[in-house]
Amino acid sequence: MDEEMNKLRRKSECLKSREEDVEEELKYAECLALKKRRKVVENWLTNVGGIKNEVEQMEQQVQKRTWFSHPQLHNKISRLTKRVTELIDQGRFPEGLTLDAHGNKRVELVTTTLVGQTFQINKNAIRECLMSDKVSKIGIYGMGGVGKTTLVTHIHDELYIRSNDSVAWVTVSQNFGIRKLQNDIATAMELQIENDDDERRRAARLAQDLRKRNNFVLILDDVWQHFPLDRVGIPTSGNGFKLIITSRSLEVCRRIGCEEYIKVEPLPEKEAWELFTEKLGHDNTLSLEIEPIAKSLIKKCSGLPLAIITMAGCMRKVEDIIEWNDALEKMNVSVVEDDDDMGIEVFQVLKYSYDMLKDPKVQQCFLYCSLFPEDFGIQRETLIEYFIDERLVDRGTRYANLNRGHTILNKLENVCLLEGYIGSKYGGRKYVKMHDLVRSMAIKIARVDSRFLVEAGEGLREIHGDEKWAEDLTKVSLMVNPISRIPSSVSPKCPRLSTLLLNNNGPLRSISDCFFRHMLELNVLDLSYTGIVNLPASISNLVNLTALLLKGCCTLIYIPSLENLKALMRLNISQAGITELPQGLEMLLNLRYLNLDGTNLRRIPVGMFPKLTCLQYLATPDIGRFTLEEVLKLKNLEFFKGQLYDIRDLNTFSNCRENIEGPNIYILLVGDHFKCEFFDYFLEEYDRTIFFKECKISSKSRVGEDSMLVLPKDVQSVQIEQCNDISSLCDISSLKNATQLVSCRIHFCQGMEHVVCFCSCSFPLIRSLKSLRLEYLWELRALIGRGTCCASASSQLPASQLLQTAIFSSLNEFVIIACGKMKRLFMPVLLLHLKHLQVLKVQECQEMVEIVGETSDEDENEDEDEENQEPASMSNILALPNLRDLQLIGLPELKRISSREMVFDSLKEIFTNGCSDFLFNGQHVTADFGTTYHVFESRIVQPEF
């Protein structure tokens, strides 16, 4: 009997597993897939529930059995086993579990069919959120016209077909109010609350009704501002209740409390074309002559479904190529004409986002972005500097202004009027750009409301004559054009002009003196990156000028006197060709920003800086010790960049910051060999950076306390170039005090043999360092080795001793380039601390044999019971759990990644180029040319050529 009972139990478990699978499949299918369960499936589930109860009762009876009850129980178990077996066979359901739900009544919402993978990905993402028990509030956001409402309408219809009591739709839009929203929700739910004037009682009734409804979904479309859910009567959870909101603002989704956010992006080019042809109609076959024009036309829609669908409606049944060319010509203009159907509809949708900003200064900041060319990436801080110049941001300190500027840009990104991204080069700088149609909308508004003239990046070779310059213009942008000269025949009468942007006109070499004659209200003049040689004398008469920008004017040799420009707050002449400071500079008592970096100035007069008491930002070329002391006494200075002659100057800076409050942000170039064209791509990534070049920094090479290197304790980044007196970082004793150091870059240091010594593992930098770059270190043999400081017997630590300290435990980026004597990069014991490593790039290391080696190069000839001995707890399987970017370039001797198996939980791809064939977890990898290999579960699965 026990044997038969065990057989029944096994069969019952099998039946229970099939029941759970069926329930899960039905749950998913019924939730969104327009399906309903078959009647036979319902009956089967009922029978399964009954048989499970009988099996449980049989278990109890068998436990209480007596000898004379055996025959009766034996028969019952046999019959029960047979019925369970039959139910298992019936549960296969070869015809499927569900039927199409055509019998259900459907409410047709005004919608359109969208095509392509992007739409389906977003739809599936919403489905997953609806299926998840952990998500009750879902935020769908994106710019106007991108297809949010259409996407959610499809979800609504699928839910409604399953059960018309499971979903309700409410459009919130601009006429928002708590009472109105309560009434709209009640109407959608067929609930009467209009006669009750008490807001709290109405909310209680709504919440009570919503909680009663199982698996109910409430969709609030076009939400523009945050509101408390409980005040309206919307429960935050319970009985499978879900809330979906659509908004143009990510911030609204956040403040309402959404657990998941799904951003609806513009369509990629291929899907945009598919949508256009779908809406154009299959009976509208385009001719071979018209199709390329149509593709150019759709490209101008920049992936915005509203624009694409509207364009398809405008061009349906149009067969004349002349009309197609005319439509393309209109789209090539920055702003479509007012009488164009396409322009009116798209403009109104996008403009509503602008209107809802409400804050006039935020609106002006948005319009300012339209002054840049189409598809132009604008560095965030560059844009914020303009905001400060225009007094759109003015909160006293530079730090507060930058914070306010970033807040405004975040707001514009959150409402999808700007697109933010991080540049792939030069330290990952942050940029924003405008969607083409959003820019067109902004230019149209600015032309009417603020009187902008924008012809940036339009290929202009000559500047417009006076007739183009209307008297009421306030801002003119002609940046990024090949204009070569401004002749004396052009003297615009623009008495209200406040901003003139002529930057990035490379060929521009001369400006007539009369050009600025009638621009006496000019506040911002940008001539950066032009070929200007002499500034006209009329510049001296622009007494309202607040910003004069001449960055990158490398041929500029003359600037007239600035003594009359008392209002000037920003002067940028960095990388300009001048050799003497402009006259009258010391008279600019309101100057907050002065950038002289990268110039060939012969001298900076002693006693000039103390007069500029308002300075918040100062960047200078070579600076003397006495002038440095003057700079450090400027009480309002927040940012300082300067080149110091030697270590003593740096010590002066460090000691002054100890005794008096100095600039919180600094970039110091220490050494006498920096060129004027030196760029800041790596330097500006951190707030506090010191760059040593061709100077003696080793504690051993400097004698006497006065000459010992003193680093500021709060330095974040140290870069060392061509300092040949150090064999490791241990030679720089003051690094022990640099507790905030997160980045270190060492290049062209010929004496560098290893990065740190065994005895230095208590260095704060070893624990806090996040980025380490080693470049062109010809003598480097190992990351960790023995230096002269390890000479004592107490310093002879085995490699296993490294386990006792968190060495390199914060490192997330490691780049090593052209270190020709390195054969093995990491010892296995070191990998235990590299848990945060995300980026690893190994390039042009000619003798590199393996990435993880059992010994370091220094130890490969030692006895195994010394440095190489590992603790018993060391696993044979190694791991870099967070590594996501691995690049192996120019490694002709590479044999393997590691002789042991390695686990890469986060690695998706490996890029190889110029390597020998090598082994990756036992797999043979051919890597003689640039190839991206895909990685799945720590195995290479497929190269992408």
Side-chain angles (χ1 to χ4, degrees), residues 404-450:
R404 176 58 182 162
H406 283 296
T407 300
I408 290 173
L409 293 180
N410 289 343
K411 181 179 181 66
L412 294 174
E413 282 187 42
N414 288 341
V415 298
C416 300
L417 286 173
L418 290 181
E419 303 169 30
Y421 67 96
I422 298 177
S424 58
K425 298 180 180 180
Y426 312 133
R429 294 182 174 187
K430 293 183 178 180
Y431 293 80
V432 295
K433 62 182 292 189
M434 271 186 157
H435 187 282
D436 292 350
L437 293 179
V438 172
R439 179 175 180 269
S440 293
M441 177 266 292
I443 291 175
K444 180 179 282 191
I445 295 171
R447 281 183 178 176
V448 176
D449 295 349
S450 302

Side-chain angles (χ1 to χ4, degrees), residues 153-356:
T153 300
H154 281 263
I155 295 294
H156 170 274
D157 287 349
E158 291 182 1
L159 290 169
Y160 195 91
I161 286 175
R162 176 171 68 100
S163 169
N164 58 14
D165 292 328
S166 67
V167 63
W169 178 288
V170 175
T171 301
V172 182
S173 203
Q174 65 259 43
N175 298 321
F176 172 77
I178 296 294
R179 183 180 180 85
K180 182 179 185 302
L181 182 55
Q182 288 175 328
N183 287 341
D184 290 344
I185 295 174
T187 301
M189 296 169 55
E190 299 180 356
L191 181 67
Q192 297 295 323
I193 64 169
E194 288 87 349
N195 296 329
D196 195 333
D197 291 330
D198 190 286
E199 182 184 288
R200 295 172 66 182
R201 283 201 300 268
R202 290 153 60 88
R205 288 195 61 191
L206 279 177
Q208 184 179 23
D209 192 271
L210 284 168
R211 288 193 186 99
K212 286 180 181 178
R213 306 189 183 208
N214 292 326
N215 300 319
F216 187 78
V217 179
L218 176 61
I219 299 173
L220 301 182
D221 185 42
D222 205 16
V223 179
W224 278 92
Q225 53 185 295
H226 157 258
F227 57 86
L229 295 179
D230 57 350
R231 186 178 167 190
V232 176
I234 300 173
T236 55
S237 61
N239 288 350
F241 173 78
K242 306 281 185 178
L243 174 66
I244 299 176
I245 70 167
T246 73
S247 177
R248 300 187 193 187
S249 171
L250 173 60
E251 185 63 26
V252 167
C253 298
R254 285 174 175 162
R255 296 191 66 185
I256 285 178
C258 295
E259 293 99 352
E260 288 290 334
Y261 315 106
I262 298 171
K263 184 177 183 180
V264 184
E265 301 274 10
L267 298 175
E269 194 170 321
K270 181 182 177 182
E271 293 183 20
W273 177 248
E274 289 174 359
L275 178 61
F276 177 72
T277 54
E278 173 78 20
K279 297 307 172 186
L280 198 63
H282 297 294
D283 55 337
N284 287 266
T285 304
L286 299 175
S287 68
L288 294 177
E289 293 82 10
I290 289 177
E291 184 172 317
I293 302 172
K295 286 186 175 180
S296 298
L297 196 60
I298 295 312
K299 193 172 182 180
K300 288 292 180 181
C301 294
S302 302
L304 199 65
L306 173 65
I308 296 166
I309 293 167
T310 307
M311 180 63 72
C314 294
M315 303 308 294
R316 192 176 292 124
K317 301 294 183 184
V318 175
E319 298 178 358
D320 192 338
I321 193 171
I322 294 176
E323 291 189 49
W324 283 92
N325 278 319
D326 182 62
L328 180 59
E329 185 62 30
K330 285 183 178 180
M331 288 295 287
N332 280 329
V333 179
S334 293
V335 187
V336 286
E337 299 300 326
D338 290 335
D339 61 352
D340 185 275
D341 292 337
M342 159 87 179
I344 293 171
E345 183 171 357
V346 175
F347 174 79
Q348 291 300 331
V349 170
L350 297 178
K351 185 177 183 295
Y352 188 53
S353 297
Y354 167 81
D355 292 336
M356 292 303 293

